[in-house]
Short mmCIF file of all heavy atoms in Angstrom, two decimals:
data_model
loop_
_atom_site.label_atom_id
_atom_site.label_comp_id
_atom_site.label_asym_id
_atom_site.label_seq_id
_atom_site.Cartn_x
_atom_site.Cartn_y
_atom_site.Cartn_z
N THR A 72 132.95 28.90 86.11
CA THR A 72 132.24 27.66 86.46
C THR A 72 133.12 26.63 87.16
O THR A 72 132.61 25.67 87.71
CB THR A 72 131.66 27.00 85.21
OG1 THR A 72 132.75 26.57 84.37
CG2 THR A 72 130.75 27.95 84.44
N ALA A 74 134.75 24.45 85.77
CA ALA A 74 134.75 23.24 84.96
C ALA A 74 135.93 23.26 83.99
O ALA A 74 136.43 24.33 83.62
CB ALA A 74 133.45 23.13 84.16
N ILE A 75 136.39 22.08 83.60
CA ILE A 75 137.45 21.99 82.60
C ILE A 75 136.80 22.19 81.23
O ILE A 75 135.76 21.60 80.93
CB ILE A 75 138.17 20.64 82.67
CG1 ILE A 75 138.90 20.55 84.02
CG2 ILE A 75 139.13 20.46 81.51
CD1 ILE A 75 139.50 19.21 84.30
N SER A 76 137.41 23.04 80.42
CA SER A 76 136.90 23.34 79.09
C SER A 76 138.02 23.21 78.07
O SER A 76 139.20 23.28 78.42
CB SER A 76 136.32 24.76 79.03
OG SER A 76 135.21 24.87 79.89
N VAL A 77 137.62 23.03 76.82
CA VAL A 77 138.58 22.93 75.71
C VAL A 77 138.13 23.91 74.63
O VAL A 77 136.96 23.91 74.24
CB VAL A 77 138.62 21.50 75.13
CG1 VAL A 77 139.62 21.41 73.98
CG2 VAL A 77 138.95 20.48 76.21
N VAL A 89 134.32 23.44 74.08
CA VAL A 89 133.71 22.25 74.69
C VAL A 89 133.74 22.46 76.19
O VAL A 89 134.81 22.64 76.78
CB VAL A 89 134.50 20.97 74.32
CG1 VAL A 89 133.88 19.75 74.98
CG2 VAL A 89 134.58 20.80 72.81
N GLU A 90 132.56 22.48 76.80
CA GLU A 90 132.43 22.68 78.23
C GLU A 90 132.04 21.36 78.88
O GLU A 90 131.15 20.67 78.38
CB GLU A 90 131.38 23.75 78.53
CG GLU A 90 131.73 25.10 77.93
CD GLU A 90 130.62 26.10 78.08
OE1 GLU A 90 129.51 25.85 77.58
OE2 GLU A 90 130.86 27.14 78.71
N THR A 91 132.70 21.01 79.97
CA THR A 91 132.40 19.75 80.64
C THR A 91 131.47 19.98 81.83
O THR A 91 131.35 21.10 82.34
CB THR A 91 133.70 19.07 81.14
OG1 THR A 91 134.32 19.94 82.11
CG2 THR A 91 134.65 18.79 80.01
N GLU A 92 130.84 18.90 82.25
CA GLU A 92 130.00 18.91 83.44
C GLU A 92 130.50 17.85 84.39
O GLU A 92 130.99 16.80 83.94
CB GLU A 92 128.54 18.60 83.09
CG GLU A 92 127.87 19.68 82.27
CD GLU A 92 126.42 19.35 81.96
OE1 GLU A 92 125.93 18.31 82.44
OE2 GLU A 92 125.79 20.14 81.25
N ALA A 93 130.37 18.08 85.68
CA ALA A 93 130.80 17.10 86.66
C ALA A 93 129.77 16.01 86.82
O ALA A 93 128.64 16.14 86.52
CB ALA A 93 131.05 17.77 88.00
#
Side-chain angles (χ1 to χ4, degrees):
T72 65
I75 295 172
S76 296
V77 180
V89 179
E90 299 173 301
T91 62
E92 292 181 3

